[in-house]
Amino acid sequence: MADNNNEPTLADKAAAAVNDAGAKFEQAKNDLGQQMTDAKDSLAQQMDSAKASVSQTTNDARNYVADQIKGEKEPTLGEKVGAFTDSAVDKFSEMTGGKKD
């Protein structure tokens, strides 16, 4: 209520301040909610990107190792011994004129 001078009373000023504070609080709450939603969405995108990157790196590593195993496979000891034995048998057969079987 205003007094005779048409100036707001202390109660009017207090009510206006409370209303203003309430409106500011609601706006701040809405802003914070939007910021949290944006942060959550951004984090989800970053996680998806990180997962895709890790997955791609893992696949690249698997393919690299598989290519290395296929392309540059060292003979095993058994394969080396077998090749040496075959070679020795061939040489012996040549020297003796016999069959290697």
Side-chain angles (χ1 to χ4, degrees), residues 13-52:
K13 290 178 183 177
V18 168
N19 288 338
D20 186 49
K24 287 180 180 177
F25 174 78
E26 286 300 317
Q27 184 61 47
K29 185 174 79 168
N30 291 339
D31 290 348
L32 181 59
Q34 185 61 50
Q35 290 171 356
M36 290 184 70
T37 298
D38 293 348
K40 183 180 82 171
D41 292 345
S42 177
L43 183 58
Q45 285 180 328
Q46 291 173 10
M47 290 296 292
D48 289 345
S49 178
K51 285 177 188 176

Side-chain angles (χ1 to χ4, degrees), residues 46-60:
Q46 291 173 10
M47 290 296 292
D48 289 345
S49 178
K51 285 177 188 176
S53 179
V54 168
S55 179
Q56 184 62 49
T57 301
T58 301
N59 287 337
D60 291 347

Side-chain angles (χ1 to χ4, degrees), residues 81-92:
V81 169
F84 175 78
T85 303
D86 289 345
S87 176
V89 169
D90 289 343
K91 287 289 184 190
F92 181 76

